[in-house]
Amino acid sequence: MEALGQISTLHYLVLAAALFVLGVIGVLTRRNVVIILMSIELILNAVNLNLLAFSRLYGLHGQVFSIFVITDAAAEAAVGLGIIIAFFRNKETVNVDEVDLMKW
Amino acid sequence: MISNFSQFFTLADYAMVLPIILLTLFALGILLIDLMVPAEWKWSNAVTALIGIAFAAGAVCKAQQNLRLMESPFVLSGSMIFDRITIYFFYLFLAGAAVAILTSVHYLEVEHEHRGEYYSLMLFSVVGMMCMAAGYDIVLIFIGLELMAISTYVLVGFLRRDRRSNEAALKYLLLGAFSSGIFAYGLSLFYGLSGTTNLGGIGQALARHMEANQGHPSPVAVLALLTTATGLLFKIAAVPFHQWAPDAYEGAPTSITGFMSVAVKAAGWAMLLRVLVWGLYPLRSVYVPLLIFVSIATMTAANFAALTQSNLKRLLAYSSIAHVGYMLLGLIALASVQYPAPAFFDGLKGILIYLLVYTFMNLGAFAVITSLRNKDVIGDELDDIAGLFQRAPVAAVMMLAFLLSLAGIPPLAGFYGKYFIFLSLIESQHYILAALGVAYSVFGLYYYLKIANAMFMRPALDQERLPISFGMKTALGISALLTVFIGVYPEPFIRAVNWSLGIVHSGAVAELMR
């Protein structure tokens, strides 16, 4: 119990910030659409971690918000994968470099 | 902070949110009815959607009458705010959606993609917009934003067999979800800074924070502001977060492009105003310089990029980005003065009038482009609109009115939007920004007249008369009438906007806005 007690809110926030940065880097550098979607999920999970860490201090609001964020992430993934499948059927690729029909 | 469970929702609360409930029911109803509708009767879904919008408008009207009876503008335990601006935005969303539905019916038949989900998704996205405009709790604002955005992702990719539509949906989805994630991260930090999810509570906590730190916010507050502002600016497509807009606008079904460029954008603005003015007002010394940079970058990049476009939808996409730049000038004016100064109200008035006139002139312009889509013609290139005056003289003259109004030529509606924005800039002593804004609006005339030149001076590639469906005629008629009428006789509309700002003067909200 002693060891657990030493994990403060700050630790959670730093972990969340790291996840957020990893997610942003993933979105900006990866070329596979599915992996980009996964990186976006990583950002949303950083948000959840933040909300949960803060709700240790402030009460339930943050936990309720995080449940909504989880639901939103699920909806986004469902629609996102649907769009990716529609795209893949017409183009036979999930590489963002080949998403080049429209430019400038 | 302990949540207050003793406050139950009253019937009065539900009376205020009735427009949202009705639209949700109609959207679900369309999904069910669509199963029983034979393929050649799919247009009846559009009628159902329009009836739903009419009922919702009636409910908004009732809510407007109830405003006078309310002691405080907050409903549902303070998670929603119903002031006059909310009512104003509700009407704006409903009008935008109604005109967009009118332009859709014939277009979807030509595309062979006439399905009920289309109208259902449009109503769902209006529900999301209403939550964004009325939300006074960051949870509700975020959920509203996502409901609107996810519905719009699907609508952009609605032409499943069209590669451009797939591609537009994919780009819009990836960038939209990315920006929502960044936005949510900012919101979570504000929750951490203030201990509440209520916008008013966040504002008060930030005011205390600024006072304790002698007007210099802590790095965490700056990070929270930057991430939140990134999400907000993404949604209204301001430079440097605009790259999704031209692609999504070009690839989307043209009727949806019109809908996105007005209703979705207005919702983005409603959310931007709620968050930046109602919630984060104490941080305005930090975000005003940021907004000045963004607005100059937006006007410059959009106007120059629009010059070389040969695709009509893409050209109007860049033009709509430029209009966001002008509207941001109004926000700069209102945020750079102390609250009850005249520039504050003129800036807000400018943005609200701009959104109103922009809704009708831009929807009208996109409606004309939508009508160019025919059996074998995609109809979104500059060459496709050539000689429109010979093929459909009335539509060509209306298009000219929309284009001149977009450019801000005086006897038309677009002028009044710009007038109040530039007025507020001069009142807040931003002379250079005002001059820049005027210069860029003159500059914009070039690419609008390029379209007009093609319509009137160039011979048509296809001499056949352009068939214009009944719904399209109605949509064009409404847009053209209002574009000209607001321009010639703006009094009732300016009075409506003054009315919607009225509550800002009164004590209750004045306290919130400090």
Side-chain angles (χ1 to χ4, degrees):
Chain A
M1 284 314 285
E2 192 56 40
L4 275 179
Q6 286 166 357
I7 300 177
S8 68
T9 307
L10 188 66
H11 290 92
Y12 287 104
L13 299 184
V14 172
L15 176 62
L19 273 181
F20 178 76
V21 172
L22 283 178
V24 171
I25 293 173
V27 172
L28 296 179
T29 59
R30 287 309 191 109
R31 288 284 157 265
N32 186 316
V33 179
V34 181
I35 296 191
I36 294 179
L37 261 192
M38 286 163 67
S39 303
I40 292 170
E41 299 293 311
L42 216 53
I43 295 177
L44 288 174
N45 282 324
V47 174
N48 284 334
L49 210 53
N50 250 352
L51 290 169
L52 293 177
F54 286 132
S55 73
R56 278 168 42 138
L57 305 174
Y58 303 126
L60 280 176
H61 274 110
Q63 300 198 15
V64 175
F65 195 172
S66 73
I67 290 174
F68 279 114
V69 173
I70 291 169
T71 317
D72 165 62
E76 219 157 50
V79 167
L81 290 174
I83 289 173
I84 292 173
I85 289 171
F87 178 77
F88 184 76
R89 279 198 183 139
N90 282 335
K91 197 111 189 212
E92 304 267 310
T93 176
V94 285
N95 188 330
V96 281
D97 287 335
E98 289 171 54
V99 186
D100 56 0
L101 225 49
M102 294 175 290
K103 269 187 204 156
W104 295 108
Chain B
M1 202 156 289
I2 295 148
S3 45
N4 193 355
F5 283 114
S6 63
Q7 262 191 337
F8 289 106
F9 303 153
T10 61
L11 211 56
D13 286 345
Y14 288 108
M16 294 310 277
V17 295
L18 192 62
I20 298 176
I21 297 173
L22 279 176
L23 278 181
T24 313
L25 289 178
F26 267 91
L28 294 171
I30 290 172
L31 284 180
L32 287 178
I33 295 169
D34 182 51
L35 296 173
M36 292 170 260
V37 175
E40 65 271 25
W41 280 73
K42 291 292 184 194
W43 56 266
S44 65
N45 289 316
V47 177
T48 318
L50 285 174
I51 293 172
I53 287 180
F55 270 95
V60 177
C61 200
K62 188 73 195 148
Q64 182 184 347
Q65 289 164 353
N66 286 348
L67 278 187
R68 247 175 289 141
L69 308 173
M70 286 166 60
E71 286 159 15
S72 90
F74 303 110
V75 301
L76 298 177
S77 308
S79 63
M80 275 188 160
I81 179 169
F82 271 84
D83 55 11
R84 295 173 175 192
I85 295 177
T86 307
I87 302 286
Y88 181 83
F89 272 114
F90 276 22
Y91 280 128
L92 200 60
F93 300 150
L94 290 174
V99 177
I101 286 173
L102 285 174
T103 64
S104 305
V105 182
H106 181 67
Y107 180 79
L108 288 179
E109 262 158 26
V110 174
E111 293 281 1
H112 300 292
E113 292 282 358
H114 213 169
R115 288 193 296 268
E117 294 89 338
Y118 179 90
Y119 302 106
S120 179
L121 283 166
M122 267 178 120
L123 293 192
F124 276 128
S125 82
V126 175
V127 171
M129 292 172 198
M130 288 180 161
C131 291
M132 288 158 78
Y136 202 63
D137 190 292
I138 52 176
V139 183
L140 186 68
I141 291 178
F142 181 70
I143 293 300
L145 166 69
E146 286 303 292
L147 179 56
M148 180 194 81
I150 292 178
S151 310
T152 322
Y153 302 150
V154 183
L155 285 172
V156 168
F158 207 77
L159 309 177
R160 278 183 310 177
R161 286 181 284 270
D162 180 11
R163 278 188 179 188
R164 284 198 305 173
S165 182
N166 295 152
E167 203 178 298
L170 189 64
K171 284 180 180 166
Y172 189 30
L173 167 90
L174 292 178
L175 293 174
F178 183 43
S179 72
S180 298
I182 296 175
F183 181 59
Y185 189 78
L187 292 183
S188 76
L189 289 180
F190 277 122
Y191 170 62
L193 282 168
S194 63
T196 171
T197 55
N198 188 281
L199 264 189
I202 290 176
Q204 283 156 10
L206 285 176
R208 282 195 299 276
H209 174 88
M210 291 296 274
E211 218 166 291
N213 293 326
Q214 280 99 39
H216 297 287
S218 65
V220 179
V222 174
L223 177 66
L225 177 71
L226 286 180
T227 45
T228 308
T230 304
L232 292 170
L233 293 172
F234 226 107
K235 293 298 165 195
I236 60 166
V239 177
F241 312 110
H242 68 294
Q243 276 305 335
W244 61 272
D247 290 344
Y249 282 23
E250 186 187 338
T254 316
S255 46
I256 286 304
T257 311
F259 180 65
M260 279 169 74
S261 72
V262 299
V264 173
K265 184 155 283 180
W269 267 99
M271 179 173 74
L272 186 89
L273 290 176
R274 282 283 182 233
V275 174
L276 287 188
V277 181
W278 269 255
L280 310 184
Y281 199 61
L283 292 178
R284 66 188 197 279
S285 61
V286 186
Y287 68 67
V288 165
L290 201 78
L291 288 178
I292 291 176
F293 165 74
V294 170
S295 75
I296 293 176
T298 305
M299 290 187 295
T300 312
N303 277 310
F304 279 98
L307 284 183
T308 54
Q309 298 305 322
S310 64
N311 183 297
L312 288 171
K313 282 157 88 176
R314 224 174 162 74
L315 198 160
L316 284 182
Y318 279 111
S319 119
S320 87
I321 297 171
H323 285 288
V324 167
Y326 305 137
M327 283 186 259
L328 279 172
L329 292 177
L331 185 60
I332 292 166
L334 85 84
S336 56
V337 294
Q338 200 57 40
Y339 156 60
F344 183 93
F345 293 107
D346 279 328
L348 206 49
K349 197 197 283 185
I351 295 172
L352 293 183
I353 292 182
Y354 212 117
L355 286 170
L356 173 76
V357 299
Y358 180 73
T359 296
F360 293 109
M361 61 196 185
N362 218 37
L363 262 180
F366 275 113
V368 172
I369 298 174
T370 310
S371 70
L372 293 176
R373 175 77 171 98
N374 266 311
K375 272 176 229 95
D376 320 309
V377 192
I378 298 175
D380 57 6
E381 291 295 322
L382 201 55
D383 293 336
D384 294 321
I385 207 169
L388 188 69
F389 187 58
Q390 284 103 48
R391 300 176 63 202
V394 182
V397 172
M398 283 177 173
M399 184 69 172
L400 182 67
F402 299 137
L403 291 172
L404 291 179
S405 177
L406 281 166
I409 303 290
L412 292 161
F415 169 71
Y416 288 97
K418 290 203 170 81
Y419 171 77
F420 282 104
I421 299 243
F422 295 145
L423 180 71
S424 68
L425 276 176
I426 288 167
E427 279 171 348
S428 60
Q429 288 158 355
H430 287 296
Y431 301 116
I432 299 171
L433 279 180
L436 213 61
V438 173
Y440 275 123
S441 359
V442 176
F443 191 82
L445 195 59
Y446 171 77
Y447 51 82
Y448 294 124
L449 287 182
K450 202 166 81 174
I451 304 180
N453 174 49
M455 286 195 304
F456 287 92
M457 302 306 202
R458 280 169 51 185
L461 296 177
D462 175 7
Q463 291 295 338
E464 229 175 294
R465 275 189 76 82
L466 194 68
I468 294 180
S469 67
F470 171 72
M472 184 62 79
K473 275 181 191 153
T474 321
L476 278 175
I478 295 171
S479 319
L481 188 73
L482 282 167
T483 303
V484 175
F485 187 76
I486 298 176
V488 178
Y489 185 56
E491 298 305 320
F493 296 93
I494 292 175
R495 226 178 294 141
V497 173
N498 278 339
W499 172 85
S500 69
L501 287 175
I503 198 148
V504 179
H505 288 283
S506 86
V509 179
E511 178 57 33
L512 293 168
M513 307 192 64
R514 282 167 298 281

